[in-house]
Amino acid sequence: MSGAPAPLLPFGALMLAASVGWAQEAPAPAPTTVAQVEFKPVLVEERGENHGKDSLRTKKTSIGKGTQDLRDIPQSVNVITEKLIDDARLDTLKEALHYTAGITFSATENGTDQDIRIRGFPAATTGDLLIDGMRDPSQYERDTFNMERIEVMRGSASMIFGRGSTGGVVNQVTKKPMLVDQMDTAVQAGTGGLVRGTVDFNKRTGEETALRLNAMATKAGNGGARVERNGIAPSYSWGLGTRNEFNVGLFHLNTNNVPRNAVGYLGGNVAPTNPLDFYGTPSDSMDGSATYASAMHLHRFAGGGELRTQLRTGTFKRAQWSSVARFGTTLGEPTTRGNVGDATILTRGSLTPRKDKYDTTMLQSDYSNQFGWFGLRHDVLAGIDVAREEAVRFQNASWNVLGTRPPTTVGTPDDGATLTGTGRGPLYRESSNYKGRSLGLYAQDMVQLSPTWKVVGGVRWDRFQATTGQLTYDTAGALTGRPTTEVRFPSLWSYRAGVLYQPDAASSYYVSYGTSFNTAADTYQFTTQQNANTPPEKSRNIEAGAKLDWLDGKLSTRAAIFRTEKFHERTTDADFAGTAFTLSGQRHSAGIELDVVGRLGPQWEVYVSYSFIPTAKIDAAGSAANAQASIGQRVGLTPRHTAAAWLGYQVDPQWRVAGGVHGASENFALQGSTGAAQRTARAGGYASVDLMAEYKATPDLFVQFNVNNVANRIYGDQLYPGFAIQGPGRAATVSVAYRY
Amino acid sequence: MLLELRAVLAPDEVAAGRRVLDAGPWSDGRVTAGEQAMLSKRNEQLPESCDAARQVQQLVLRGLERNAEFFSATLPRHIAPPLFNRYSGETNTFGDHVDAAIRFLPGGAMRVRTDISCTLFLSEPDEYDGGELVVEEAAGITRRVKLRAGDMVVYPGTSVHRVEPVTRGARVASFFWIQSMVRSQERRRLLFDMDNRLRDLRSRLGDADPAIVGLTGTYHNLLRHWADV
């Protein structure tokens, strides 16, 4: 070495300068973050990250109860932030879930968010969809206007959530007041006569109090499949950032839609009709609402622990009656994919009218803290949840003969047909009801055995009891009976265990095992005594994965390899005559999931979610002929590949462009009651492309252009044995947003 | 302890920063004042999240990052995003006040305790008349500070201070707060002194000298004792 010695640095500087990291910002939209200085090896935290308006990525999640780092959860988790919701114009939960891999939709009486499948297992809409960690029981069309982010945890997780969660859970995290003045208001206009307005207003009202108001109104014509949704969600917090934080909020959402019609398969595949054409009738309807009040108290203990208590009480409703169009003849000949055209006759059937109403009250208290027992660090998570849930289901009264839907032709969509006959709409009367109470207690400990190794163990105890009732009527409509069934499960246990290896702040590897259970009536259905006497179905999930951060923590990659199995499945054999069903059914799915999310340098943002499920098989079934025939078959609604990606590029301070694609390989509906893939018709693989460009006219004013499903790709989005509901056709929107 | 740090930003950086700031969307500074300060605050500020502010923030942070004396004196734990103000014309003064103890950052995600206040001058002293920063170091003892563009002054957040009226020209500056790992001023001062004296000794005796090794250990042990990280 030659030359003058370098000047000596002070220790304070030596120690700190090396570990400093100023959070680099994108040129335009990200918030100011705090430059933090910490000792190595702690990575500088990028504050504001959880402010999902500005980032596709989040490091923290609340899906595991309490707030945890994603890297400490030994299960596959995928998070869709508000930024992706805004960028890709994902106005409903269903649209948003298309951007998370491994999720498919069934079509039942018509497409709300019904019957979602994760890893090939039902995520019962009446148990596995959550709002802030508490069940969101109905099947209404959920709007994303009040969502901060959507978290999907895959795999069995009854230890955290109680009954259900075989394939996983979907948690909708609502927006909460913040100590800042912020306004984000947007109006949109688009094809199909779409008009939508949203307001997200946050006002800091004092040193530690704030008010947030979100509101939304949406209307669309969609060539006959009308949408009308509006919602409002005020929320007030006090004690923000102090020892005791409180929040109270109200939420109301109302939808009155004419839903998209289902279409029969043609030539063993999804019908080639234009997804922009509507073949239902103006009498079709899909109404829904959610109204609830919530209260939250968060106590922060001096040592860093938290006790979070939430109460929510509300009513959720939906009612729907809609059409299925099936192919008749074409110029007197049977219709084929070769001759289908404007002259093709479509006969229209009516799907069963459905109506239900849920009243639920839930109280949940979650405690998290760190302890130094026996010289080791323990992260303890424990809690209790109590729920009172009531459901009433309605059916059309038997003496109200419903009108029939007249036929139409492919060339005359949205013909405004009126029903033939007298019954213009369903006359609903109560058909069954449910009243249940549940109590759950859980505790989990994560022990840091060494600087790099952690072990997790958790256990949960549930008590579940319900009374389900059925109402029987004679032909004149007089009530003739109210048989009831008592469902009692006094003690149910769920477990989770895992090992985490975290060699440094940027990587975490895990292996985990978790269980889940499904009891009779766990989705608020009337159930028979035989069913009530049957022990709960049991599932387990074994998984290994890695969560790695790159580029100074700006990019996260997560990979998991899993096997999820239902190893005790109810078998309801036709020839069965006992006091309880057997649990001789078994099925499993196995595969991998990959997520990549974050920044690739200051101008590029990326989000990728991919799932590959090579195996999804029925392993054992009951003795009925159709059940026996299903053994060895692939499970329905489980494509081998599902994927979604979104890539954003900041061209200059004014222009940002982004594009995404979501799709799946070949998919099949369920065959009858067995759950096996039907073999008579399929939905071919597809990829649907979405594009976006955003122009920042002034620092506060944004104009955003979107085209979703650019190629007007025809694909089967929701599948049923006899018909499918196509994915939405091409839609273009322009939005003007004002944010400060 | 009031400390003046020279040339935190180089002249060309100051010029670049000023070009961006002068074109920025300035507005009344009372939006960030606490209730009492509101009455005495007469200046202009840049909105904290505007692009101009963000760009120059990065410039300021990079300047701090390479300034060893700054780290040694402040032992920062959190640095609030730098803000910018301008005193000129009608909005030309900020009377005696103490900064709010806690600074809440945008997004509500984070709070910074204002242990240390910093002012980085971005106008040359001959560009304006008046505008001195007057800091009360102890009862009745005040320091008047007016530095060259690119220089910075660091003083305890607990002091009463004011900005004298600007009677000509414009005084542009960046100001921000630091939450230190060491909360107490006296302790920070002791550590800073020790660090400086040790540097002197190390340059003469070398880092391997047993006494230096021992004293270095003492510095770190004191820091261990006093620091919250």
Side-chain angles (χ1 to χ4, degrees), chain A residues 331-410:
Chain A
L331 305 172
E333 296 293 317
T335 302
T336 63
R337 294 185 80 86
N339 70 4
V340 65
D342 283 357
T344 300
I345 292 171
L346 291 169
T347 58
R348 285 191 281 204
S350 305
L351 294 169
T352 313
R354 294 277 179 202
K355 179 178 169 179
D356 43 50
K357 171 173 175 286
Y358 299 87
D359 289 290
T360 67
T361 301
M362 298 179 190
L363 175 71
Q364 162 172 317
S365 208
D366 301 302
Y367 170 80
S368 59
N369 210 343
Q370 285 184 2
F371 297 98
W373 299 325
F374 316 113
L376 298 172
R377 187 177 125 183
H378 294 256
D379 285 274
V380 171
L381 199 62
I384 178 168
D385 40 74
V386 189
R388 285 187 63 103
E389 296 161 298
E390 295 186 4
V392 183
R393 289 168 200 274
F394 303 84
Q395 285 176 359
N396 181 45
S398 56
W399 45 265
N400 175 48
V401 179
L402 287 168
T404 54
R405 289 164 163 79
T408 182
T409 63
V410 170

Side-chain angles (χ1 to χ4, degrees), chain A residues 8-13 15-16 20 22-24 28 30-32 34-37 39 47 179 204 207 241 696, chain B residues 48 51 54 57-58 61 65 68 71 76-79 81 104-105 107 109-111 195 199 202-203 216 219 223 229:
Chain A
L8 287 170
L9 282 171
F11 289 123
M15 196 172 52
L16 293 164
V20 73
W22 312 115
Q24 289 298 317
T32 311
V34 185
Q36 268 202 327
V37 180
F39 289 118
R47 286 290 174 175
L179 287 173
R204 183 175 174 182
E207 196 61 17
K696 197 170 158 184
Chain B
E48 38 191 302
D51 281 2
R54 286 210 185 117
Q57 266 164 13
Q58 294 297 330
L61 292 174
E65 199 171 343
F71 280 99
R77 184 174 174 211
H78 302 305
I79 300 174
F104 290 84
L105 297 181
M110 179 79 198
R111 289 155 302 160
D195 204 354
R199 198 161 29 145
R202 283 158 60 207
S203 67
T216 303
Y219 172 88
L223 191 58
V229 293

Side-chain angles (χ1 to χ4, degrees), chain A residues 373-688:
Chain A
W373 299 325
F374 316 113
L376 298 172
R377 187 177 125 183
H378 294 256
D379 285 274
V380 171
L381 199 62
I384 178 168
D385 40 74
V386 189
R388 285 187 63 103
E389 296 161 298
E390 295 186 4
V392 183
R393 289 168 200 274
F394 303 84
Q395 285 176 359
N396 181 45
S398 56
W399 45 265
N400 175 48
V401 179
L402 287 168
T404 54
R405 289 164 163 79
T408 182
T409 63
V410 170
T412 55
D414 191 25
D415 62 353
T418 48
L419 303 191
T420 314
T422 49
R424 283 302 141 95
L427 275 173
Y428 287 112
R429 63 180 181 191
E430 189 177 342
S431 60
S432 69
N433 54 52
Y434 167 101
K435 277 195 173 93
R437 277 187 298 178
S438 59
L439 166 67
L441 295 162
Y442 73 91
Q444 172 182 292
D445 187 7
M446 183 163 68
V447 189
Q448 181 114 30
L449 295 178
S450 78
T452 53
W453 288 91
K454 291 176 179 171
V455 291
V456 182
V459 60
R460 178 179 167 116
W461 171 86
D462 276 283
R463 190 178 70 196
F464 173 69
Q465 59 186 69
T467 305
T468 69
Q470 208 174 9
L471 285 77
T472 55
Y473 301 89
D474 65 15
T475 46
L479 188 65
T480 54
R482 286 175 172 271
T484 60
T485 305
E486 296 296 320
V487 184
R488 294 263 179 283
F489 292 102
S491 178
L492 296 153
W493 294 90
S494 310
Y495 308 94
R496 175 201 263 179
V499 177
L500 293 117
Y501 171 62
Q502 300 178 331
D504 54 51
S507 51
S508 178
Y509 303 87
Y510 67 87
V511 177
S512 74
Y513 172 85
T515 68
S516 66
F517 65 89
N518 297 81
T519 58
D522 65 349
T523 56
Y524 316 107
Q525 300 275 14
F526 169 74
T527 191
T528 62
Q529 196 58 52
Q530 273 184 330
N531 218 337
N533 295 342
T534 309
E537 297 184 310
K538 288 213 165 80
S539 309
R540 60 191 164 210
N541 180 58
I542 184 155
E543 189 174 309
K547 298 180 184 182
L548 308 176
D549 287 348
W550 313 85
L551 307 177
D552 295 333
K554 292 185 182 59
L555 184 75
S556 296
T557 55
R558 298 188 288 270
I561 179 163
F562 68 89
R563 180 188 167 100
T564 303
E565 58 180 330
K566 187 166 253 192
F567 58 98
H568 284 166
E569 187 170 10
R570 264 190 298 273
T571 48
T572 50
D573 294 350
D575 58 351
F576 180 82
T579 54
F581 293 114
T582 56
L583 291 171
S584 55
Q586 281 186 13
R587 66 177 66 188
H588 80 279
S589 65
I592 58 171
E593 282 143 4
L594 297 174
D595 290 292
V596 179
V597 58
R599 282 194 179 280
L600 297 165
Q603 289 167 290
W604 291 94
E605 273 206 295
V606 63
Y607 168 97
V608 178
S609 178
Y610 168 69
S611 151
F612 172 51
I613 306 182
T615 316
K617 199 166 94 182
I618 294 179
D619 302 307
S623 56
N626 65 339
Q628 282 297 307
S630 74
I631 294 172
Q633 299 288 314
R634 189 173 174 90
V635 175
L637 291 172
T638 315
R640 297 171 79 83
H641 304 272
T642 54
W646 187 258
L647 184 65
Y649 177 66
Q650 185 80 40
V651 182
D652 63 25
Q654 270 80 43
W655 282 98
R656 188 163 63 93
V657 293
V661 60
H662 63 84
S665 59
E666 187 177 62
N667 193 4
F668 299 90
L670 302 176
Q671 176 198 103
S673 58
T674 65
Q678 78 164 5
R679 281 174 287 176
T680 50
R682 58 191 274 270
Y686 78 95
S688 169

